[in-house]
Amino acid sequence: MPLESQPIFRAVATSTRPLYQLLRCINFAPRAHVQITEDGVRFAADHARVMQGVAFLDKALFSSYTVNLPASEDNEADNEVPELPNFQISLSSVLEVLQIFGAVDVATRAQKAEQDPYRSNLRNYRPDAFSNQTLGISGTCTLVYAEEGDPFKITIEESGVKTTAALTTYLPETPEDIPFERKYLSFKIIMQSRSLLDALAEIFPTAPTKLSIIVSKTSPYFSLVGTGDLGSSSVDFARGKDLLETFSIQERWSQCYKFDFIKSSTEAMRIANKVSLRGDRQGVLSLQFMVDIEGGKRSFLDFRFVPFIQHDEDEDEAEEDE
C-alpha cells in the first residue's frame, strides 16, 4: 500500500475498557482537544481556563499503533518536523461509542446506582477496573483518522458483529495550558489516591462550595477544609509514610478552590493508585494521577486548577472605607 493511501493514524486495542475509563475522567467539557503523537493520543479538556484535565492514551495501550505524519513541501525543503495532527471532538460521543457493547462493567454500573458518589467502598473494585476477565468481553476496537478534516472513526468488533461510528471533527482551538511553575513549587505530596478520595467523602456531607488546601511545615502538615452554607468540615493528614509517601515543602501554602472543580477529578481518584499534589507560588494546583493497567502497563491523568476568588464588592468597599 503506498504511503499516500495510508491513514494519518490507526490504532487497534483489544478492549475498550481502558480507553473508556481514562477518558471518562476528563468528561467535564463539551469538547476535547485531540493531538495525535507517535507516543500516544492526548485528550485535553478545558473549563473556562480555570480547570483543565488531560488523559494520555499511551501507545502501549494498543496492540497496534501507526502514525503517518503528512510531510508538506515546505517541511521537506526546510527539513522541519511535520505538524502533529490535532482537532476537537465531542468527548461524550466518544464515550457513548466506546460502551456500545456494554464496555461499562459491573463495577461501573454499581457505581451509577450509588446515591453518594464519594462512598469510599468504590475503591474496592479499583485493582480489577481494567480486567477483561471481569468484563467477560473479547473483541477489538480500531481508531482511524484518515486525513485532516476527516471524521474520527471508531470501529468496534465483537463476536462477528462490527459497528463503525464516524465522529465529526472540529477545527482545533487549542486552549492555552494553565501556567504551572515547576521550578517554583511551594510543596509536593505523593499519597494513595484513595486516601484523598476518602478525605473528600468526609467533607462532602456539609455541601461545601469551597475547598481550602493548606500545607505547612508544622502540624497539621496537610489539611483539607470544606466550607459551605451548612458549615465547615476539615480533614488533617499526619506526616507519616503510611499516609504521605512523599512530603516536600518550601513554604506554607494555603489556597482556596471551587469544590465542584475538585469534585470533577474524583473519578480519577477512584481508578488511580497514587496521586501527586503540587502547588506553585501562583496558587495553581496540579494533581497527577498514576493508573496501573493489567499487563504491567501504566497511564497518567493530569489536572490543573486555578485558585477560587470570591469577589464581594461590599467587603471591598468596607475595607477601602477603613
Side-chain angles (χ1 to χ4, degrees), residues 36-48:
I36 298 172
T37 75
E38 294 183 348
D39 296 320
V41 186
R42 183 182 188 269
F43 286 77
D46 177 88
H47 179 80

Side-chain angles (χ1 to χ4, degrees), residues 9-148:
F9 166 71
R10 185 179 187 275
V12 180
T14 56
S15 172
T16 60
R17 176 60 176 171
L19 313 183
Y20 176 87
Q21 191 75 16
L22 292 170
L23 293 179
R24 185 168 182 249
C25 293
I26 62 168
N27 188 28
F28 55 80
R31 293 180 184 175
H33 184 83
V34 182
Q35 185 175 52
I36 298 172
T37 75
E38 294 183 348
D39 296 320
V41 186
R42 183 182 188 269
F43 286 77
D46 177 88
H47 179 80
R49 293 212 63 220
V50 294
M51 174 179 67
Q52 293 176 341
V54 174
F56 187 72
L57 306 184
D58 193 280
K59 63 185 299 184
L61 296 176
F62 302 90
S63 58
S64 172
Y65 189 94
T66 305
V67 176
N68 298 301
L69 298 179
S72 65
E73 295 180 1
D74 294 337
N75 288 336
E76 292 177 350
D78 300 334
N79 293 323
E80 295 181 358
V81 178
E83 183 178 352
L84 296 173
N86 63 101
F87 51 86
Q88 284 191 321
I89 197 169
S90 169
L91 189 55
S92 60
S93 297
V94 174
L95 294 173
E96 189 69 24
V97 173
L98 290 178
Q99 58 176 326
I100 284 177
F101 287 112
V104 182
D105 63 13
V106 176
T108 304
R109 290 196 295 269
Q111 173 185 317
K112 289 183 177 180
E114 295 286 352
Q115 294 182 352
D116 182 354
Y118 292 101
R119 285 185 56 179
S120 59
N121 60 6
L122 291 176
R123 72 189 183 193
N124 293 337
Y125 75 87
R126 181 180 53 80
D128 297 322
F130 297 114
S131 173
N132 285 332
Q133 287 74 18
T134 301
L135 294 175
I137 292 177
S138 60
T140 60
C141 171
T142 304
L143 310 179
V144 175
Y145 185 58
E147 60 183 19
E148 184 178 355

Side-chain angles (χ1 to χ4, degrees), residues 264-317:
S264 298
S265 65
T266 53
E267 182 63 26
M269 295 179 198
R270 289 189 183 96
I271 70 170
N273 299 78
K274 296 181 181 181
V275 57
S276 171
L277 302 92
R278 298 175 297 171
D280 67 7
R281 62 181 179 179
Q282 305 175 99
V284 175
L285 174 67
S286 167
L287 300 182
Q288 185 179 66
F289 297 93
M290 183 182 74
V291 182
D292 285 341
I293 302 172
E294 71 170 350
K297 301 173 185 177
R298 180 170 290 172
S299 191
F300 292 90
L301 296 159
D302 290 282
F303 290 82
R304 291 183 184 180
F305 304 91
V306 172
F308 173 69
I309 301 175
Q310 182 176 8
H311 298 283
D312 192 322
E313 295 180 357
D314 294 336
E315 291 183 0
D316 291 343
E317 291 175 0

Side-chain angles (χ1 to χ4, degrees), residues 180-213:
F180 184 70
E181 299 182 321
R182 293 181 176 85
K183 294 183 179 179
Y184 300 100
L185 292 182
S186 296
F187 78 92
K188 178 180 180 179
I189 294 173
I190 297 178
M191 60 188 298
Q192 296 293 315
S193 61
R194 63 176 179 266
S195 298
L196 184 58
L197 179 61
D198 287 345
L200 293 179
E202 294 294 326
I203 296 173
F204 181 68
T206 58
T209 56
K210 297 187 294 184
L211 180 71
S212 297
I213 300 178

